[in-house]
Amino acid sequence: VSGIYSPHHYKLGRFEVAPYGQSELRSVYHTREVEVKRLEALASMNERPIDVFISHDWPRGIYHHGNVNQLLKKKPFFQKEVLDNSLGSPANEQLLHLLKPRYWFSAHLHVKFSAEIRHRSSEGPQRDSDDATKRSALKSGDGTAQEQTTEESATTEFHGMESNDGNCPDSNPNVQSLTEQMTRFLSLDKCLPKRRHIQIMHVEPSMTTRSSTESPSAGVENTPWLEYDTQWLSVLSQTHEWTQRTRSPVNLANGNVPVTK
């Protein structure tokens, strides 16, 4: 998901056309509902779990699944938005809990932050309740929240090379392996000296078999390959009418996209 969330432009079409004016220079990088609704259709692809999801903006509420107190020490001006749960994108939050990818990587807020999200089968109300409890603890200054998030951060550590360390540490046996109901989130800092802006990770794909019915040539089976995703092409085809260059809200009908193979 590209760009950041803005309620003023979220439901509008992609009306920006070069050369951009001052207003279009800002609105062009705002996420649109059309893009989110298309991605929601991927939830029906149960046989092919999503390994990696990338967004510019953080999912809203992600800070309550990591060490939020440490985050606020680094970025104290985030506190008001954390307390009223307005930091990040509500659209990305919705995608996070619907698609449940194994990894989610973001940028935008210029700070390294990791979190671990354990999804529940009926997590909507419970998630809201949990986040509200953590916000209440932050407001009251209760140390319980800090202890809890510190404990969580110990199990959500990411391993790899950072900007000020050329060594790649061995795997930590205390870090639990991912399950289908777990997402690990990571955001990195700005690309500047002495900032934690780079990390190398090895992600094993959940699916390694070619979708093609053709038998691979000898010696080719274990080599990497790229291919078009037929389900995603189906989504784009069936929602082509949603691609509109209008300043008016785009009519998404019921917003449900049947995905065909």
Side-chain angles (χ1 to χ4, degrees), residues 61-66 68 82 85 113 131 134-135 138 149 152:
I62 194 71
Y63 29 83
H64 294 304
H65 298 272
V68 64
V82 168
N85 202 35
F113 181 76
D131 290 351
K134 293 176 182 179
R135 291 197 300 273
L138 282 172
T149 52
E152 288 177 355

Side-chain angles (χ1 to χ4, degrees), residues 12-229:
L12 306 186
R14 283 290 180 191
F15 59 84
E16 300 88 355
V17 179
Y20 299 145
Q22 289 300 314
S23 176
E24 287 77 14
L25 283 173
R26 293 187 296 272
S27 66
V28 73
Y29 60 78
H30 290 160
T31 305
R32 299 303 204 270
E33 185 180 25
V34 167
E35 301 155 1
V36 174
K37 288 296 182 183
R38 283 171 172 159
L39 287 166
E40 287 180 358
L42 301 181
S44 62
M45 297 162 54
N46 296 327
E47 74 281 7
R48 296 184 59 187
I50 296 175
D51 293 313
V52 176
F53 196 105
I54 301 175
S55 67
H56 182 68
D57 208 356
W58 290 21
R60 184 183 63 182
I62 194 71
Y63 29 83
H64 294 304
H65 298 272
N67 195 330
V68 64
N69 292 280
Q70 186 179 64
L71 173 66
L72 294 178
K73 286 181 180 179
K74 297 177 181 178
K75 301 284 186 178
F77 44 89
F78 286 173
Q79 183 165 7
K80 181 180 183 301
E81 292 173 282
V82 168
L83 290 175
D84 60 22
N85 202 35
S86 62
L87 183 66
S89 167
N92 289 354
E93 178 188 26
Q94 181 176 342
L95 287 172
L96 169 66
H97 295 284
L98 179 65
L99 300 179
K100 303 176 183 178
R102 296 173 62 222
Y103 294 90
W104 186 301
F105 302 126
S106 294
H108 186 47
L109 296 182
H110 303 160
V111 61
K112 181 175 181 180
F113 181 76
S114 63
E116 183 180 274
I117 301 90
R118 297 178 181 273
H119 302 285
R120 300 184 180 90
S121 57
S122 58
E123 65 180 357
Q126 181 64 43
R127 184 179 76 249
D128 294 342
S129 176
D130 289 348
D131 290 351
T133 300
K134 293 176 182 179
R135 291 197 300 273
S136 177
L138 282 172
K139 289 180 181 179
S140 64
D142 187 354
T144 304
Q146 183 172 1
E147 292 174 3
Q148 180 178 4
T149 52
T150 301
E151 181 182 353
E152 288 177 355
S153 67
T155 62
T156 61
E157 183 180 355
F158 283 77
H159 300 277
M161 184 180 71
E162 297 175 359
S163 58
N164 57 351
D165 183 0
N167 299 319
C168 186
D170 297 331
S171 297
N172 187 337
N174 294 324
V175 178
Q176 299 180 11
S177 59
L178 286 169
T179 69
E180 293 181 359
Q181 296 298 314
M182 185 187 301
T183 298
R184 284 193 175 140
F185 171 85
L186 178 65
S187 179
L188 296 174
D189 206 337
K190 296 179 70 173
C191 186
L192 292 173
K194 303 299 181 180
R195 303 283 282 269
R196 308 178 80 180
H197 63 81
I198 185 171
Q199 188 156 319
I200 297 175
M201 299 180 60
H202 180 73
V203 178
E204 287 288 345
S206 58
M207 181 177 180
T208 58
T209 304
R210 283 177 169 80
S211 60
S212 173
T213 57
E214 299 179 2
S215 300
S217 303
V220 178
E221 185 173 0
N222 295 325
T223 60
W225 74 94
L226 296 175
E227 63 183 10
Y228 287 107
D229 187 284

